[in-house]
Amino acid sequence: MELTPTAPKVRQVLAFLLVRCGKLVQVGELIDELWGDEPPASAMTTLQTYIYKLRKDVLERCTSATLHTRVSGYLLDVSAERGDLLRFERLAHEGRTALDEGDAARAADRLCEALALWRGPALADVSAGEILSAHVTRLEEERLRTLELRITADLELGRHRQLISELKMLVSEHPLNERFHSHLMMALHRSGRRYEALEVYQGLRRMLIDELGMEPSAAVQQLHLNLLNSDAESRDEGASAPLVRGRFETLLVPAQLPPDISDFVGREEVLRDVRRHLVRPQGENTAARAVSISGMPGVGKTALALRAGHADRAEFPDGQLYADLRGSGDRPTDPHEILEGFARAIGVPAAEIPGNLQERSKLFRTWSMGRRVLVVLDDAHSVSQVAPLLPASPNCAVIITTRRGLYSLPGVRHVELDVMSTRNAMALIEAVSGRRFGADELGAAERVVRLAGRLPLAVRAVGSRLAAMQTWPVEKLAAQLESLPRRLDLLSFAELDVRARLASGYRRLDAGDRSALRLISLLPPPDFTATTAARLIGNGTDEVEAQLIRLAGCHLLSVSMGGGGEIRYRLHELVRVFARERLDEELLEPAARDRPEAAPAAAADHARAVREGVRPARENGRPVWESVGERPDCGHEHRDPHMVRAAAPAEPPPRRARPVNGVVKALGNG
């Protein structure tokens, strides 16, 4: 009895539920599948109508499937023996297992039975949306992989003559599939047609060079060399199985992703964007999909990457690889070392891992070709560090986190992560602290997350502090954050240290940019222009703007467009606090320590004059900050020369000393 619905949208819903049978399908996923990025206002009502028709016209007359309604979606249960997809996956797994155990006959039977369930392209009569198209791609890849394994089993059973015609057709249909070429070369050789086998290799090599600019994989080249030397086995059919199956067939399936964070909060829209790009259909694209997540220190880049990776782990059944590139530290990890770790993770013996970076990168690309692998590269430093670690297959995906946007890396989706909303920050501090703030505590809790800059790392730090001190009133923590001169002391708890994260990025700046960051921390919030910063620093506007752009590239500044096309810059509150600390500790406090002959009160007064002795003025309707000592009616002789010299850092002095409009130039040397 034919029960397939005729309405295209109902058929599409049924197909989606079937490819995800036994798993919960979120309502949002169904809406995205049916209408993409522009669902109608009636999407929810229309979807419920489709579900009703599906139940009435199909499921009420089908005893082998049951549709369950859950709070956030639907779950379709199908009998294991009635669902083609479930049977295919079970038989394919049994065939792979039998082949790995050396039982080629049983493997061939199971794999043939699995392939017999295919009666044409996957979901050929369904109008697939973006998400369902990704599942179609996955199913076709699984079918091809099962077909490769069945041919491997047939070769091990000595059926090479019967395979030649089929393999020639497969090579024509899949010209970039090296496994089919290898199988055809071996089948021809075993049939006494060695010269034809060599011609197959030459044709493959020419095509790869012309289309992709690359040589065949190391395994195919080795097979070609064996054929040239007449070393490929032709008498004992089973002896050559390792060549046919390829050097990677029995390697491990890595699962290296660190654990997901259970109290992950918010980021729904960004997470959808990342996941949509990772699992999108590739079409004619031949490159791996890549997403680069950038943002200021502590904004939650790694947490977002791991959440996306775990959410889509099923889309990458051939493995998930993870590497900490330590790009924000003093010594970023060498990609040569990372590739060695990848090779060990997939089971390559240590003796077979190449010694140089280029060959290791080729080995990794060869292994990943034709596979569905997710690679997470955390805390990347530069494009040159990342490039050798990228897989070659369009079925693979890469998530990169970085403090610097890797905008010169081609074909990458760039996502800039901002601080959390107040609502999500409140949800996070409640989740971490284990508290639920009553009406009398909400105001204080909101002050805490505001003083933490809504930065996830800082919110986690204060939440952990509240968790460790359950009797501590949140009002007291808010008061301390407001009153303490060193707020970052309270934004540190165990390994959660905002100051340390900011310091790692600060150390990587050159001396001039560190100086600029320290000095612009004197400017009043919320934002400023390059012209205002140039007056403070005392350099030309173009030179200062170049510094501000570099700081923004490190996500220590944010950039926005003001009225009239004016570019404005903003310091995050915690970056401002950190930069003022550096100004005090590196310049002003050492100056006071180095002047034992000066009266303490005079040193303190002068330090305060440099740090706080500014008055607001207005120019063109906007506030401009000027040093008190730089007013036209106040000459340079009013500065204490001892204090100016003491305030200069222990770095090479400028080539030419001169007065400037703003803080004394000596403060800006490093």
Side-chain angles (χ1 to χ4, degrees), residues 265 267 270 293-301 304 415-421 424 453-456 555 557-559 570 572:
V265 172
R267 310 295 196 192
V270 179
I293 304 171
S294 60
M296 69 175 291
V299 80
K301 301 180 290 294
L304 178 67
V415 175
E416 291 198 9
L417 208 55
D418 202 354
V419 296
M420 309 181 80
S421 66
N424 286 333
R454 292 182 285 121
L455 187 69
H555 290 90
L557 279 180
S558 61
V559 185
R570 180 190 297 263
H572 183 273

Side-chain angles (χ1 to χ4, degrees), residues 6-151:
T6 56
K9 290 291 187 183
V10 179
R11 187 188 295 255
Q12 191 175 356
V13 171
L14 176 59
F16 199 163
L17 293 170
L18 282 170
V19 298
R20 294 278 297 276
C21 67
K23 299 178 182 178
L24 179 66
V25 177
Q26 302 284 343
V27 169
E29 292 179 290
L30 285 167
I31 291 175
D32 288 344
E33 165 63 23
L34 292 170
W35 294 287
D37 294 331
E38 298 180 356
S42 60
M44 180 64 73
T45 303
T46 306
L47 174 61
Q48 291 172 346
T49 302
Y50 294 156
I51 294 294
Y52 170 77
K53 290 182 178 179
L54 186 60
R55 290 185 190 275
K56 183 176 182 297
D57 299 339
V58 178
L59 297 176
E60 286 183 0
R61 294 186 286 168
C62 178
T63 60
S64 59
T66 306
L67 182 61
H68 304 279
T69 301
R70 297 290 185 259
V71 174
S72 58
Y74 302 93
L75 186 149
L76 183 65
D77 271 338
V78 179
S79 170
E81 291 305 315
R82 296 299 300 274
D84 285 351
L85 177 57
L86 294 175
R87 291 179 61 201
F88 168 75
E89 291 175 340
R90 176 179 59 80
L91 291 168
H93 175 73
E94 291 178 1
R96 283 194 297 270
T97 302
L99 195 58
D100 289 339
E101 293 174 351
D103 190 347
R106 181 169 176 269
D109 289 342
R110 292 292 183 271
L111 296 169
C112 283
E113 191 177 349
L115 292 168
L117 295 171
W118 286 75
R119 294 178 289 275
L123 304 181
D125 56 351
V126 175
S127 298
E130 185 173 318
I131 303 176
L132 199 52
S133 295
H135 284 285
V136 170
T137 302
R138 176 180 65 83
L139 292 173
E140 291 292 346
E141 288 288 338
E142 285 297 317
R143 183 183 70 83
L144 278 181
R145 190 176 181 190
T146 303
L147 179 58
E148 291 174 2
L149 294 175
R150 195 225 77 204
I151 293 172

Side-chain angles (χ1 to χ4, degrees), residues 209-275:
I209 292 175
D210 292 343
E211 298 291 332
L212 304 178
M214 60 185 293
E215 294 281 348
S217 66
V220 178
Q221 291 185 47
Q222 183 62 51
L223 175 58
H224 175 245
L225 182 62
N226 290 344
L227 293 177
L228 286 174
N229 296 329
S230 298
D231 287 338
E233 186 63 52
S234 60
R235 292 168 297 174
D236 182 358
E237 309 294 354
S240 58
L243 284 174
V244 177
R245 294 176 62 184
R247 61 186 297 191
F248 298 121
E249 185 63 37
T250 60
L251 298 188
L252 303 178
V253 176
Q256 294 188 330
L257 289 184
D260 195 7
I261 298 174
S262 60
D263 54 11
F264 186 91
V265 172
R267 310 295 196 192
E268 293 88 355
E269 184 176 347
V270 179
L271 187 60
R272 275 197 300 271
D273 184 33
V274 171
R275 295 183 61 192

